[in-house]
């Protein structure tokens, strides 16, 4: 009987831990949103010594590199889970490469995000800027979700591709609403 009682006390603890883990990505996204809305933007803020249009150009280039890494991540993920047509089984070295490229992508995103949120905050001056701002907050919540999903063995099989797919879509949307917009001359700057 004591073994049965122990299992009952562990289940609520697991549910609470699962609930808190599910809330963490939301808390990150909402926290970034709250900071971005309440922070006083510093439009003169630079990045790696660049200011004005130079910083926008640098962020567009870094964002494009991030987009390329996200596409590589997508292809490696599809290969690892045998969803890449004609590729066969992925060699063992693909798994650590996927992790390393994911880490590099995350690290590459940090200076871009830091400059964006400190220089501009979360802004709704146009629909493009609003989508970019909200997606930036969601991106880091999705990153936290992906890390939690990768570490969990109890989640359904669709959870990992959903988290990874959300990350790729968020990066693509960020790139589309910023870097591509800048490179095509559709925006005077942001």
């Amino acid at each position: 009987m004591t073994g049965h009682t122990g299992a009952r006390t562990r289940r609520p603890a697991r549910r609470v831990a699962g609930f808190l883990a599910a809330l963490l990505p939301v808390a990150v996204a909402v926290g970034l949103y709250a900071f971005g809305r309440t922070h006083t933007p510093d439009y003169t803020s630079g990045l790696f010594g660049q200011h004005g249009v130079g910083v926008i150009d640098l962020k567009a280039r870094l964002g494009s590199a991030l987009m390329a890494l996200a596409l590589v991540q997508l292809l490696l993920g599809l290969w690892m889970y045998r969803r890449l047509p004609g590729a066969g089984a992925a060699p063992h070295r693909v798994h650590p490469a996927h992790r390393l490229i994911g880490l590099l992508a995350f690290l590459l995103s940090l200076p871009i995000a830091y400059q964006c949120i400190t220089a501009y905050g979360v802004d709704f001056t146009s629909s493009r800027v609003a989508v970019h701002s909200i997606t930036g907050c969601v991106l880091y919540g999705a990153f936290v979700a992906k890390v939690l999903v990768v570490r969990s063995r109890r989640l359904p099989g669709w959870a990992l591709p959903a988290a990874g797919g959300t990350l790729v879509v968020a990066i693509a949307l960020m790139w589309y609403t910023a870097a591509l917009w800048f490179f095509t001359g559709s925006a005077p700057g942001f």
Side-chain angles (χ1 to χ4, degrees):
M1 183 131 184
T2 57
H4 190 64
T5 305
R8 285 185 188 166
T9 58
R10 279 193 300 264
R11 281 190 193 133
R14 284 184 183 166
R15 285 186 192 139
V16 168
F19 180 71
L20 292 176
L23 281 182
L24 187 57
V26 174
V28 167
V30 169
L32 286 170
Y33 175 84
F35 175 79
R37 289 300 290 166
T38 59
H39 167 74
T40 302
D42 177 9
Y43 301 111
T44 63
S45 170
L47 180 64
F48 300 128
Q50 298 293 316
H51 295 278
V53 175
V55 75
I56 297 167
D57 181 66
L58 177 59
K59 287 191 319 183
R61 292 178 189 283
L62 292 173
S64 295
L66 178 60
M67 183 67 220
L69 289 175
L71 290 174
V72 170
Q73 283 294 88
L74 175 63
L75 290 173
L76 290 175
L78 289 170
W79 194 10
M80 287 187 319
Y81 289 95
R82 295 180 178 227
R83 298 290 190 249
L84 193 59
H92 290 290
R93 66 183 180 272
V94 170
H95 295 271
H98 183 75
R99 270 188 233 110
L100 179 61
I101 292 169
L103 175 63
L104 291 174
F106 175 73
L107 293 175
L108 180 60
S109 76
L110 291 176
I112 303 167
Y114 177 79
Q115 200 280 334
C116 282
I117 202 160
T118 58
Y120 307 106
V122 172
D123 192 1
F124 298 116
T125 54
S126 72
S127 57
R128 178 191 60 82
V129 172
V131 167
H132 187 79
S133 293
I134 297 298
T135 305
C137 298
V138 169
L139 173 71
Y140 287 96
F143 176 78
V144 170
K146 175 138 189 304
V147 169
L148 292 173
V149 168
V150 164
R151 299 287 176 210
S152 175
R153 299 281 185 235
R154 290 179 261 148
L155 293 172
W158 56 263
L160 185 56
T166 301
L167 269 176
V168 171
V169 168
I171 291 169
L173 193 52
M174 295 292 293
W175 178 79
Y176 178 78
T177 57
L180 182 62
W181 205 267
F182 175 74
F183 289 138
T184 60
S186 299
F190 48 113

